Amino acid sequence: QANPQEGNMCMAVSIRWEDPYWCGVGFISGPDKGKPYAPWWGKTPHGWYYDLSQLKRKKFVLYMRGEKGGEQVQWKVGFLGHERYGDSLPFPAETKWLKLENGWKRYELDLEKCNLSRVCSLCFVVAQPYQDNPDDPVTFYIDSVHFE
């Protein structure tokens, strides 16, 4: 049972380890259908961007919990800054490795010092060496993802 933090749905992520023993999932605000646009990774001008520079608090916020507690996850905002049509951040803003609890907890990434004029990507990364029990599969839940 996912037991969402808010509403009646949340995202469940389950990972079984195989070589290369890490997993990253990117969320990109670009077209995902039709040629010549798919897949879009910031190399062409066909992506969609968000100007987040006027946000009052300039924070990336989400709620997460681990299935057991102890799972570790890292989030990054602006990982396409190295591409010509990617994010305005030259390097991604990233959280430290977040050690999850088995109850919901709010996590924030301060973006105050970042150029947020063009944001089109964010991702999470999970790596086997960072886990408390590296031989066990990892399951965690994500809810209420937003910018403030």
Side-chain angles (χ1 to χ4, degrees):
Q1 174 70 309
N3 187 24
Q5 185 271 332
E6 182 179 328
N8 57 10
M9 282 190 264
C10 66
M11 181 185 299
V13 178
S14 294
I15 300 164
R16 288 182 300 137
W17 298 114
E18 294 182 17
D19 189 22
Y21 303 103
W22 67 274
C23 172
V25 175
F27 301 91
I28 302 171
S29 63
D32 59 1
K33 294 182 181 175
K35 291 185 177 185
Y37 308 124
W40 185 81
W41 288 96
K43 295 182 186 301
T44 65
H46 304 294
W48 300 316
Y49 310 98
Y50 298 93
D51 182 353
L52 303 178
S53 61
Q54 300 304 312
L55 291 173
K56 289 184 181 187
R57 296 188 61 214
K58 294 187 176 49
K59 291 187 183 290
F60 171 67
V61 179
L62 72 156
Y63 288 79
M64 289 190 297
R65 72 175 184 86
E67 179 75 20
K68 299 175 184 175
E71 300 85 351
Q72 294 197 50
V73 180
Q74 183 182 53
W75 280 86
K76 299 181 182 200
V77 173
F79 68 88
L80 291 178
H82 65 287
E83 296 294 351
R84 180 174 181 191
Y85 299 101
D87 299 283
S88 54
L89 290 78
F91 300 98
E94 56 189 41
T95 65
K96 62 183 186 346
W97 283 92
L98 305 171
K99 191 167 191 171
L100 306 182
E101 300 172 6
N102 64 355
W104 289 105
K105 182 176 175 184
R106 177 183 167 115
Y107 295 92
E108 296 181 357
L109 174 58
D110 185 2
L111 302 171
E112 186 66 40
K113 295 180 181 175
C114 298
N115 176 355
L116 301 176
S117 62
R118 192 178 69 235
V119 177
C120 59
S121 66
L122 63 96
C123 70
F124 65 80
V125 179
V126 184
Q128 186 186 33
Y130 289 97
Q131 306 309 314
D132 285 349
N133 299 305
D135 294 329
D136 291 346
V138 170
T139 298
F140 62 96
Y141 303 92
I142 304 166
D143 205 354
S144 303
V145 178
H146 62 281
F147 289 92
E148 293 183 346

